Amino acid sequence: MNKRSQLEAFFLLNRTDPTARKYTFDEIPQRYVWNETDMIWHVRKHGRQIGRNLHGERSININDQQIQFYVLDEIDKLLKSIGKSLKQFNQLPQPPPCYL
């Protein structure tokens, strides 16, 4: 069996999927999933991947709301380091209490 690289499959994907053409090779794993058996990229059904899965470790798929909650939690941690809290800033979105 002739193994196709992810880069070769990227070029094939660009020939067959017009949507893929707007992404660079580095952006493809955020929108597509690599199928090792078929040696092709498949469109992600939901969520996004953070980072690239280079060594077979599990990838993390999270949605935009989860990203927002994570970022707000990080902001809250920074604020707490100077004696403040995200709850003091009513104009900012507030994540659920389980995130803070």
Side-chain angles (χ1 to χ4, degrees):
M1 179 178 179
N2 188 13
K3 290 191 100 178
R4 181 183 303 135
S5 73
Q6 290 183 355
L7 182 60
E8 291 169 321
F10 168 71
F11 293 127
L12 178 63
L13 178 67
N14 275 276
R15 274 192 250 147
T16 59
D17 184 350
T19 304
R21 294 177 193 147
K22 64 183 178 180
Y23 303 117
T24 65
F25 178 67
D26 287 340
E27 295 169 324
I28 286 295
Q30 296 172 12
R31 307 287 181 191
Y32 294 79
V33 178
W34 175 247
N35 181 308
E36 191 69 40
T37 304
D38 298 334
M39 304 289 199
I40 58 174
W41 292 101
H42 292 284
V43 176
R44 278 190 187 279
K45 292 187 174 40
H46 56 80
R48 288 192 181 144
Q49 178 181 1
I50 302 297
R52 287 193 64 190
N53 189 357
L54 296 175
H55 304 289
E57 69 270 5
R58 288 185 167 180
S59 61
I60 299 172
N61 291 310
I62 58 177
N63 62 38
D64 290 340
Q65 186 179 43
Q66 290 169 316
I67 293 170
Q68 180 186 28
F69 292 162
Y70 174 79
V71 170
L72 289 169
D73 180 51
E74 292 298 309
I75 291 170
D76 191 55
K77 288 176 187 174
L78 289 170
L79 288 169
K80 285 179 180 174
S81 73
I82 59 168
K84 298 197 180 278
S85 171
L86 188 62
K87 293 176 184 175
Q88 294 173 296
F89 298 88
N90 295 331
Q91 69 274 22
L92 293 177
Q94 301 291 315
C98 64
Y99 278 87
L100 297 175

